[in-house]
Amino acid sequence: MTVLGQGTDPYQPTQPLFAYIRGNPAKMDLFMPISPETSDHLSALGHFGTDPGSLGADTYVPKNLPKGRPLVVVLHGSTQSPESYNIGSGWSALADECGIALLFPEQRKANNPIGSFNWFKLGDSHRGGGEPLSIRQMIKQVVDDHAIDPSRVFITGMSSGGAMTSVMLATYPEVFAGGAIIAGLPYRSATNMMEALVRMNGYGSPSDSQLDALVRGASTFTGPWPTISVWHGDDDTTVDNSNASSIVRQWQKIHKVEGPPTHVEMVDGFPREVWCDADGRVVIEQYIIGNMGHGTPISAGGDDGLGKEGKYMLEVGISSTRHIADFWGLTS
């Protein structure tokens, strides 16, 4: 079987992690940062609050963007930068096409040597502090600066950025209309580095009732909850695709859509599973991309193509960027 792309995206290095890498030579490229492609598309966001997580931030705002437009928050993976992720995923091209503002939080090497968001650390996985509060402050700044519609703020991320997307959706659910988690993990499925490695390999996930309780306990919010889009490669050997189904199950009871999907359809040759609420609204969708490894699915060719193939940006004939935006109602 041919795997369409494969990579690695563990998190903050420790001595046990180095031992793990030595025993898995294929994962050695983890510590070889990709050279970010330069782009003049993104602009640095200046002051945005107390920034307790010590993050950076870039933005992309199309020229003459009207008031009341949506905002999409985009979280990169390990060894990536906002610019490299934007080039690969094509979000700024779609922003020009559809009139969307973009915010790209950026991890600093001082926080994590390989640029991963610290989704598994207790100080960076709770409301009111650390990296989640920094991202929340960025969002408020961009909403205020550009008169964004606060009811149409969305968030997406890949790998460690996907796992931090889970953190943000759980800790600040009132902020987001929807979230898309690509090659990520459920909220608080791990609370330290070694647990993170175990969960990434598909072992020891919390029970369904624990997953549900973790989200409900992350804030005092009672709904309406953000919609959830989940994307994962079925040949991902970095973050096992069992994490995708765990993410779905973490949100099913909250959305009152327990059980099998309402229906399954084929989209660009891949199955899309959807769960609809009592009103017929799709509240959870899941794409498991056949023969794909670790990364973001893209489709760069043709009139509707977006992005550029590269490390962790995998050309598989379906654009997760475009379909996620369509799910959120941003392309119409």
Side-chain angles (χ1 to χ4, degrees), residues 128-215:
E131 293 174 12
L133 180 55
S134 288
I135 296 171
R136 175 66 186 100
Q137 291 174 340
M138 297 173 196
I139 293 169
K140 183 180 186 306
Q141 191 67 52
V142 175
V143 168
D144 291 346
D145 288 349
H146 300 284
I148 298 297
D149 180 351
S151 71
R152 291 200 291 169
V153 177
F154 304 88
I155 187 167
T156 183
M158 191 276 287
S159 199
S160 70
M164 185 54 76
T165 297
S166 288
V167 171
M168 295 305 299
L169 291 167
T171 56
Y172 292 97
E174 77 282 4
V175 173
F176 303 105
I181 301 157
I182 304 171
L185 298 97
Y187 173 62
R188 290 202 63 201
S189 55
T191 58
N192 59 59
M193 183 65 227
M194 294 312 297
E195 281 187 2
L197 287 171
V198 172
R199 302 295 182 264
M200 287 164 61
N201 282 308
Y203 301 108
S205 177
S207 68
D208 291 357
S209 60
Q210 289 172 324
L211 288 169
D212 175 77
L214 286 167
V215 172

Coordinates of all heavy atoms in Angstrom, one line a residue, residues 128-215:
G128 N -8.3 30.6 31.1 CA -7.8 31.7 32.0 C -6.3 31.8 32.2 O -5.9 32.5 33.1
G129 N -5.5 31.0 31.4 CA -4.1 31.1 31.6 C -3.4 30.5 30.4 O -3.9 29.8 29.6
G130 N -2.0 30.7 30.4 CA -1.2 30.0 29.5 C -1.5 30.3 28.0 O -2.0 31.4 27.7
E131 N -1.2 29.4 27.2 CA -1.4 29.5 25.7 C -2.9 29.7 25.3 O -3.2 30.6 24.5 CB -0.8 28.3 25.0 CG 0.7 28.3 25.1 CD 1.4 27.1 24.5 OE1 0.7 26.4 23.7 OE2 2.6 26.9 24.7
P132 N -3.9 29.0 26.0 CA -5.2 29.3 25.6 C -5.7 30.8 25.8 O -6.4 31.3 25.0 CB -6.0 28.3 26.5 CG -5.1 27.2 26.8 CD -3.7 27.9 26.9
L133 N -5.3 31.4 26.9 CA -5.6 32.7 27.2 C -4.9 33.7 26.2 O -5.6 34.6 25.7 CB -5.3 33.1 28.6 CG -5.7 34.6 29.0 CD1 -7.1 34.9 28.7 CD2 -5.3 34.9 30.5
S134 N -3.7 33.4 25.8 CA -3.0 34.2 24.8 C -3.8 34.2 23.5 O -4.0 35.2 22.9 CB -1.6 33.7 24.6 OG -0.7 34.0 25.7
I135 N -4.2 33.0 23.1 CA -5.0 32.9 21.8 C -6.3 33.6 22.0 O -6.8 34.3 21.0 CB -5.2 31.4 21.5 CG1 -3.8 30.8 21.2 CG2 -6.1 31.3 20.2 CD1 -3.8 29.3 21.0
R136 N -7.0 33.5 23.1 CA -8.2 34.2 23.3 C -8.0 35.7 23.2 O -8.8 36.4 22.6 CB -8.8 33.8 24.7 CG -10.1 34.6 25.1 CD -11.2 34.3 24.2 NE -12.4 35.1 24.4 CZ -12.7 36.1 23.6 NH1 -12.0 36.5 22.6 NH2 -13.9 36.8 23.9
Q137 N -6.9 36.2 23.8 CA -6.6 37.6 23.7 C -6.4 38.1 22.3 O -6.8 39.2 21.9 CB -5.4 38.0 24.6 CG -5.7 37.8 26.1 CD -4.5 38.0 27.0 OE1 -3.4 37.9 26.5 NE2 -4.7 38.3 28.3
M138 N -5.7 37.3 21.5 CA -5.4 37.6 20.1 C -6.8 37.7 19.4 O -6.9 38.7 18.6 CB -4.6 36.5 19.4 CG -3.3 36.3 19.9 SD -2.6 34.8 19.1 CE -1.3 34.4 20.1
I139 N -7.6 36.8 19.6 CA -8.9 36.8 18.9 C -9.7 38.1 19.2 O -10.2 38.8 18.3 CB -9.8 35.6 19.3 CG1 -9.1 34.3 18.8 CG2 -11.2 35.7 18.8 CD1 -9.7 33.0 19.4
K140 N -9.7 38.5 20.5 CA -10.4 39.7 20.9 C -9.8 40.9 20.2 O -10.6 41.8 19.7 CB -10.4 39.9 22.4 CG -11.2 41.1 22.8 CD -11.1 41.3 24.3 CE -12.0 42.4 24.8 NZ -11.8 43.7 24.1
Q141 N -8.5 40.9 20.1 CA -7.8 42.1 19.4 C -8.2 42.2 18.0 O -8.6 43.2 17.5 CB -6.3 42.0 19.6 CG -5.6 43.2 19.2 CD -5.9 44.4 20.1 OE1 -5.7 44.2 21.3 NE2 -6.3 45.5 19.5
V142 N -8.2 41.0 17.3 CA -8.5 41.0 15.8 C -10.0 41.3 15.6 O -10.4 42.1 14.7 CB -8.2 39.7 15.2 CG1 -8.6 39.6 13.7 CG2 -6.6 39.5 15.3
V143 N -10.9 40.8 16.5 CA -12.3 41.1 16.3 C -12.5 42.6 16.5 O -13.3 43.2 15.7 CB -13.1 40.3 17.4 CG1 -14.5 40.8 17.5 CG2 -13.1 38.8 17.0
D144 N -11.9 43.2 17.5 CA -12.1 44.6 17.7 C -11.4 45.5 16.6 O -12.0 46.4 16.2 CB -11.4 45.0 19.1 CG -12.2 44.5 20.3 OD1 -13.3 44.0 20.1 OD2 -11.6 44.5 21.4
D145 N -10.2 45.1 16.2 CA -9.5 45.9 15.2 C -10.2 45.9 13.8 O -10.2 46.9 13.1 CB -8.1 45.3 14.9 CG -7.2 45.6 16.1 OD1 -7.5 46.4 17.0 OD2 -6.1 45.0 16.1
H146 N -10.9 44.8 13.5 CA -11.5 44.7 12.1 C -13.0 44.5 12.1 O -13.5 44.1 11.1 CB -10.8 43.5 11.4 CG -9.3 43.7 11.3 ND1 -8.7 44.6 10.4 CD2 -8.3 43.2 12.0 CE1 -7.4 44.5 10.5 NE2 -7.1 43.7 11.5
A147 N -13.6 44.8 13.2 CA -15.1 44.8 13.3 C -15.6 43.4 12.8 O -16.6 43.3 12.0 CB -15.7 45.9 12.5
I148 N -15.0 42.3 13.3 CA -15.4 41.0 12.9 C -16.7 40.7 13.6 O -17.0 41.1 14.7 CB -14.3 40.0 13.4 CG1 -13.0 40.2 12.7 CG2 -14.8 38.5 13.2 CD1 -13.0 40.0 11.2
D149 N -17.5 39.8 12.9 CA -18.8 39.3 13.5 C -18.4 38.3 14.6 O -17.9 37.2 14.3 CB -19.6 38.7 12.5 CG -20.9 38.1 13.0 OD1 -21.1 38.1 14.2 OD2 -21.8 37.7 12.2
P150 N -18.6 38.6 15.9 CA -18.1 37.7 17.0 C -18.9 36.4 17.0 O -18.4 35.4 17.6 CB -18.4 38.5 18.2 CG -19.4 39.5 17.9 CD -19.2 39.9 16.4
S151 N -20.0 36.3 16.3 CA -20.7 35.0 16.2 C -20.2 34.1 15.1 O -20.6 33.0 15.0 CB -22.2 35.3 16.0 OG -22.4 35.8 14.7
R152 N -19.2 34.6 14.3 CA -18.6 33.8 13.3 C -17.1 33.8 13.4 O -16.4 34.2 12.5 CB -19.0 34.3 11.9 CG -20.5 34.1 11.6 CD -20.8 34.2 10.1 NE -20.6 35.6 9.6 CZ -20.6 35.9 8.3 NH1 -20.7 34.9 7.4 NH2 -20.5 37.1 7.9
V153 N -16.7 33.2 14.5 CA -15.3 33.0 14.8 C -15.1 31.5 14.8 O -15.8 30.7 15.5 CB -14.8 33.6 16.1 CG1 -13.3 33.2 16.4 CG2 -15.0 35.1 16.1
F154 N -14.1 31.0 14.0 CA -13.8 29.6 13.8 C -12.4 29.3 14.1 O -11.5 30.2 14.1 CB -14.2 29.1 12.4 CG -15.6 29.5 12.0 CD1 -15.9 30.7 11.5 CD2 -16.6 28.5 12.2 CE1 -17.2 31.0 11.1 CE2 -17.9 28.8 11.8 CZ -18.3 30.1 11.3
I155 N -12.0 28.0 14.3 CA -10.7 27.7 14.6 C -10.3 26.3 14.0 O -11.2 25.4 14.0 CB -10.4 27.7 16.1 CG1 -8.9 27.5 16.4 CG2 -11.2 26.6 16.9 CD1 -8.5 27.8 17.9
T156 N -9.1 26.2 13.5 CA -8.6 24.9 12.9 C -7.1 24.8 13.2 O -6.4 25.8 13.4 CB -8.9 24.8 11.4 OG1 -8.5 23.6 10.9 CG2 -8.2 25.9 10.7
G157 N -6.6 23.6 13.2 CA -5.2 23.3 13.4 C -4.9 21.9 13.0 O -5.7 21.0 13.0
M158 N -3.6 21.7 12.8 CA -3.1 20.4 12.4 C -2.1 19.9 13.5 O -1.2 20.6 13.9 CB -2.4 20.4 11.0 CG -2.0 19.1 10.4 SD -0.5 18.4 11.0 CE 0.7 19.4 10.1
S159 N -2.2 18.6 13.8 CA -1.2 17.9 14.7 C -1.2 18.6 16.1 O -2.3 18.6 16.8 CB 0.1 17.8 14.1 OG 0.9 16.8 14.7
S160 N -0.1 19.1 16.6 CA -0.1 19.8 17.8 C -1.1 21.0 17.8 O -1.7 21.4 18.8 CB 1.3 20.3 18.3 OG 1.8 21.3 17.5
G161 N -1.2 21.6 16.6 CA -2.2 22.7 16.4 C -3.6 22.2 16.4 O -4.5 22.9 16.9
G162 N -3.8 20.9 16.0 CA -5.1 20.3 16.1 C -5.4 20.0 17.5 O -6.6 20.2 17.9
A163 N -4.4 19.5 18.2 CA -4.7 19.2 19.7 C -5.0 20.5 20.4 O -5.8 20.5 21.3 CB -3.5 18.5 20.3
M164 N -4.3 21.6 20.1 CA -4.6 22.9 20.7 C -5.9 23.4 20.3 O -6.6 24.1 21.0 CB -3.5 23.9 20.4 CG -3.7 25.2 21.2 SD -3.9 25.1 23.0 CE -2.2 24.7 23.5
T165 N -6.4 23.1 19.1 CA -7.7 23.4 18.7 C -8.7 22.7 19.6 O -9.7 23.3 20.0 CB -8.0 23.0 17.2 OG1 -7.1 23.7 16.3 CG2 -9.4 23.2 16.8
S166 N -8.5 21.5 19.9 CA -9.4 20.8 20.9 C -9.4 21.5 22.2 O -10.4 21.7 22.9 CB -8.9 19.3 21.1 OG -9.1 18.5 20.0
V167 N -8.2 22.0 22.7 CA -8.1 22.8 23.9 C -9.0 24.0 23.8 O -9.8 24.3 24.7 CB -6.7 23.1 24.2 CG1 -6.6 24.1 25.4 CG2 -5.8 21.9 24.5
M168 N -8.9 24.8 22.8 CA -9.6 26.0 22.6 C -11.1 25.8 22.6 O -11.9 26.6 23.2 CB -9.1 26.8 21.4 CG -7.7 27.3 21.5 SD -7.3 28.3 22.9 CE -8.4 29.7 22.7
L169 N -11.5 24.8 21.8 CA -13.0 24.5 21.7 C -13.6 24.1 23.1 O -14.7 24.5 23.4 CB -13.2 23.4 20.7 CG -12.9 23.8 19.2 CD1 -12.9 22.5 18.4 CD2 -13.9 24.7 18.7
A170 N -12.8 23.4 23.9 CA -13.3 23.0 25.2 C -13.2 24.1 26.2 O -14.2 24.3 27.0 CB -12.5 21.8 25.7
T171 N -12.2 24.9 26.2 CA -12.0 25.9 27.2 C -12.7 27.3 27.0 O -13.0 28.0 27.9 CB -10.5 26.2 27.5 OG1 -9.8 26.6 26.3 CG2 -9.8 25.0 28.0
Y172 N -12.9 27.6 25.7 CA -13.6 28.8 25.3 C -14.7 28.5 24.2 O -14.7 29.1 23.2 CB -12.6 29.8 24.7 CG -11.6 30.4 25.8 CD1 -10.4 29.9 25.9 CD2 -12.0 31.4 26.6 CE1 -9.5 30.3 26.9 CE2 -11.2 31.9 27.6 CZ -9.9 31.4 27.7 OH -9.1 31.9 28.7
P173 N -15.6 27.6 24.6 CA -16.6 27.2 23.6 C -17.5 28.3 23.1 O -18.0 28.3 22.0 CB -17.4 26.1 24.3 CG -17.2 26.4 25.7 CD -15.8 26.9 25.8
E174 N -17.7 29.3 24.0 CA -18.6 30.4 23.7 C -18.0 31.3 22.6 O -18.7 32.1 22.0 CB -18.9 31.3 24.9 CG -17.8 32.2 25.4 CD -16.7 31.5 26.2 OE1 -16.7 30.3 26.3 OE2 -15.8 32.3 26.7
V175 N -16.7 31.2 22.4 CA -16.0 32.1 21.4 C -16.2 31.6 20.0 O -16.2 32.3 19.0 CB -14.5 32.2 21.7 CG1 -13.7 32.9 20.6 CG2 -14.3 32.8 23.1
F176 N -16.4 30.2 19.8 CA -16.3 29.6 18.5 C -17.6 29.1 18.0 O -18.3 28.4 18.7 CB -15.3 28.5 18.5 CG -13.9 28.9 18.9 CD1 -13.4 28.6 20.2 CD2 -13.1 29.7 18.1 CE1 -12.2 29.1 20.6 CE2 -11.8 30.1 18.5 CZ -11.4 29.8 19.8
A177 N -17.9 29.4 16.7 CA -19.1 28.8 16.0 C -18.7 27.4 15.6 O -19.6 26.5 15.4 CB -19.5 29.6 14.9
G178 N -17.5 27.1 15.3 CA -17.1 25.8 14.8 C -15.6 25.6 14.9 O -14.8 26.6 15.0
G179 N -15.1 24.3 14.9 CA -13.7 24.0 14.9 C -13.4 22.8 14.1 O -14.3 21.9 13.9
A180 N -12.2 22.8 13.5 CA -11.8 21.7 12.6 C -10.4 21.2 13.1 O -9.5 21.9 13.2 CB -11.7 22.1 11.2
I181 N -10.4 19.9 13.5 CA -9.2 19.3 14.1 C -8.6 18.3 13.1 O -9.2 17.3 12.7 CB -9.6 18.5 15.4 CG1 -10.2 19.5 16.4 CG2 -8.4 17.9 16.0 CD1 -11.1 18.9 17.4
I182 N -7.4 18.6 12.6 CA -6.7 17.8 11.6 C -5.5 17.0 12.2 O -4.6 17.7 12.8 CB -6.2 18.7 10.5 CG1 -7.4 19.5 9.9 CG2 -5.5 17.8 9.4 CD1 -6.9 20.6 8.9
A183 N -5.6 15.7 12.2 CA -4.5 14.9 12.7 C -4.2 15.2 14.2 O -3.0 15.3 14.6 CB -3.2 15.0 11.9
G184 N -5.2 15.5 14.9 CA -5.1 15.9 16.3 C -5.5 14.9 17.3 O -5.6 13.7 17.0
L185 N -5.7 15.4 18.5 CA -6.1 14.5 19.7 C -7.2 15.2 20.5 O -7.4 16.4 20.4 CB -4.9 14.3 20.6 CG -3.7 13.5 20.0 CD1 -2.7 14.5 19.5 CD2 -3.1 12.5 20.9
P186 N -8.0 14.4 21.3 CA -9.0 15.0 22.1 C -8.5 15.9 23.2 O -7.3 15.8 23.6 CB -9.7 13.7 22.7 CG -9.2 12.5 21.9 CD -7.9 12.9 21.4
Y187 N -9.4 16.7 23.7 CA -9.0 17.6 24.8 C -8.7 16.8 26.0 O -9.4 15.9 26.5 CB -10.2 18.5 25.1 CG -10.0 19.4 26.4 CD1 -9.0 20.3 26.4 CD2 -10.8 19.2 27.5 CE1 -8.8 21.0 27.6 CE2 -10.7 20.0 28.6 CZ -9.6 20.9 28.6 OH -9.4 21.7 29.8
R188 N -7.5 17.1 26.6 CA -6.9 16.6 27.8 C -6.9 15.1 27.8 O -7.0 14.4 28.9 CB -7.7 17.1 29.1 CG -7.5 18.6 29.3 CD -7.8 18.9 30.8 NE -6.9 18.3 31.7 CZ -7.2 18.1 33.0 NH1 -8.3 18.5 33.5 NH2 -6.3 17.4 33.8
S189 N -6.6 14.5 26.7 CA -6.3 13.1 26.6 C -5.0 12.7 27.2 O -4.7 11.6 27.5 CB -6.4 12.6 25.2 OG -5.6 13.3 24.3
A190 N -4.1 13.8 27.4 CA -2.8 13.6 28.0 C -2.6 14.8 28.9 O -3.0 15.9 28.5 CB -1.7 13.4 27.0
T191 N -1.8 14.6 29.9 CA -1.5 15.7 30.8 C 0.0 15.8 31.1 O 0.5 16.6 31.9 CB -2.2 15.5 32.2 OG1 -1.8 14.3 32.8 CG2 -3.7 15.6 32.0
N192 N 0.8 15.0 30.3 CA 2.3 15.2 30.4 C 2.9 14.6 29.1 O 2.2 14.0 28.3 CB 2.9 14.5 31.7 CG 2.5 13.0 31.7 OD1 2.9 12.2 30.8 ND2 1.8 12.6 32.8
M193 N 4.2 14.7 29.0 CA 4.9 14.4 27.7 C 4.7 12.9 27.4 O 4.4 12.5 26.3 CB 6.3 14.7 27.9 CG 7.2 14.4 26.6 SD 6.6 15.5 25.2 CE 6.5 14.2 24.0
M194 N 4.9 12.0 28.4 CA 4.9 10.6 28.2 C 3.5 10.1 27.9 O 3.3 9.3 27.0 CB 5.5 9.8 29.4 CG 7.0 10.1 29.6 SD 8.0 9.9 28.1 CE 7.7 8.2 27.7
E195 N 2.5 10.7 28.6 CA 1.1 10.4 28.2 C 0.8 10.8 26.8 O 0.1 10.1 26.1 CB 0.1 11.0 29.2 CG 0.0 10.3 30.5 CD -1.2 11.0 31.3 OE1 -1.8 11.9 30.8 OE2 -1.4 10.5 32.5
A196 N 1.3 11.9 26.4 CA 1.1 12.4 25.0 C 1.6 11.4 24.0 O 0.9 11.1 23.0 CB 1.8 13.8 24.8
L197 N 2.8 10.9 24.2 CA 3.4 9.9 23.3 C 2.5 8.6 23.2 O 2.3 8.1 22.1 CB 4.8 9.5 23.7 CG 5.9 10.6 23.4 CD1 7.2 10.2 24.1 CD2 6.0 10.8 21.9
V198 N 2.0 8.2 24.4 CA 1.2 7.0 24.4 C -0.1 7.2 23.7 O -0.6 6.4 22.9 CB 0.9 6.6 25.9 CG1 -0.1 5.5 25.9 CG2 2.2 6.1 26.6
R199 N -0.7 8.4 23.9 CA -2.0 8.7 23.2 C -1.8 8.9 21.7 O -2.6 8.4 20.9 CB -2.6 10.0 23.8 CG -2.9 10.0 25.2 CD -3.9 9.0 25.7 NE -4.1 9.1 27.1 CZ -3.5 8.4 28.0 NH1 -2.7 7.4 27.6 NH2 -3.7 8.5 29.3
M200 N -0.7 9.5 21.3 CA -0.4 9.6 19.9 C -0.3 8.2 19.2 O -0.6 8.1 18.0 CB 1.0 10.4 19.7 CG 0.8 11.9 20.0 SD 2.5 12.6 20.3 CE 3.2 12.3 18.6
N201 N 0.2 7.2 19.9 CA 0.3 5.9 19.4 C -1.0 5.1 19.5 O -1.0 3.9 19.1 CB 1.5 5.1 20.1 CG 2.8 5.6 19.5 OD1 3.0 5.6 18.3 ND2 3.7 5.9 20.4
G202 N -2.0 5.7 20.0 CA -3.3 5.1 20.0 C -3.7 4.3 21.2 O -4.6 3.5 21.1
Y203 N -3.0 4.5 22.3 CA -3.2 3.7 23.5 C -3.7 4.6 24.7 O -3.3 5.7 24.8 CB -2.0 3.0 23.9 CG -1.4 2.1 22.9 CD1 -0.2 2.4 22.2 CD2 -2.1 0.9 22.6 CE1 0.3 1.5 21.2 CE2 -1.6 0.0 21.6 CZ -0.4 0.3 20.9 OH 0.1 -0.5 19.9
G204 N -4.6 4.0 25.5 CA -4.9 4.6 26.8 C -5.8 5.8 26.7 O -5.8 6.6 27.7
S205 N -6.6 5.9 25.7 CA -7.5 7.1 25.7 C -8.5 7.0 26.8 O -9.0 6.0 27.2 CB -8.2 7.1 24.3 OG -9.2 8.2 24.3
P206 N -8.9 8.2 27.4 CA -9.9 8.2 28.4 C -11.2 7.6 27.8 O -11.5 7.5 26.6 CB -10.1 9.7 28.7 CG -8.8 10.3 28.3 CD -8.4 9.5 27.1
S207 N -12.1 7.1 28.7 CA -13.3 6.5 28.3 C -14.2 7.6 27.8 O -14.0 8.8 27.9 CB -14.0 5.9 29.5 OG -14.4 6.9 30.5
D208 N -15.3 7.2 27.1 CA -16.2 8.1 26.5 C -16.8 9.1 27.5 O -17.0 10.3 27.3 CB -17.3 7.4 25.7 CG -16.8 6.7 24.5 OD1 -15.6 6.8 24.2 OD2 -17.7 6.0 23.8
S209 N -17.2 8.5 28.7 CA -17.8 9.3 29.7 C -16.7 10.3 30.3 O -17.1 11.5 30.6 CB -18.3 8.5 30.9 OG -17.3 7.7 31.5
Q210 N -15.5 9.9 30.4 CA -14.4 10.8 30.8 C -14.2 11.9 29.8 O -14.0 13.1 30.2 CB -13.1 10.0 31.1 CG -13.2 9.1 32.3 CD -12.0 8.2 32.4 OE1 -11.4 7.7 31.4 NE2 -11.5 8.0 33.6
L211 N -14.2 11.5 28.5 CA -14.0 12.5 27.5 C -15.0 13.6 27.5 O -14.8 14.8 27.4 CB -13.9 11.9 26.1 CG -12.7 11.0 25.8 CD1 -13.0 10.2 24.5 CD2 -11.5 11.9 25.6
D212 N -16.3 13.2 27.7 CA -17.4 14.1 27.8 C -17.2 15.0 29.0 O -17.4 16.2 28.9 CB -18.7 13.3 27.9 CG -19.9 14.2 28.1 OD1 -20.4 14.8 27.2 OD2 -20.4 14.2 29.2
A213 N -16.9 14.4 30.1 CA -16.8 15.2 31.4 C -15.6 16.2 31.3 O -15.7 17.3 31.9 CB -16.6 14.2 32.5
L214 N -14.6 15.9 30.6 CA -13.4 16.8 30.5 C -13.9 18.1 29.8 O -13.5 19.2 30.2 CB -12.3 16.1 29.7 CG -11.5 15.1 30.5 CD1 -10.6 14.3 29.5 CD2 -10.7 15.7 31.6
V215 N -14.6 18.0 28.7 CA -15.1 19.2 28.0 C -16.1 19.9 28.9 O -16.0 21.2 29.0 CB -15.7 18.8 26.6 CG1 -16.4 20.1 26.0 CG2 -14.7 18.3 25.7

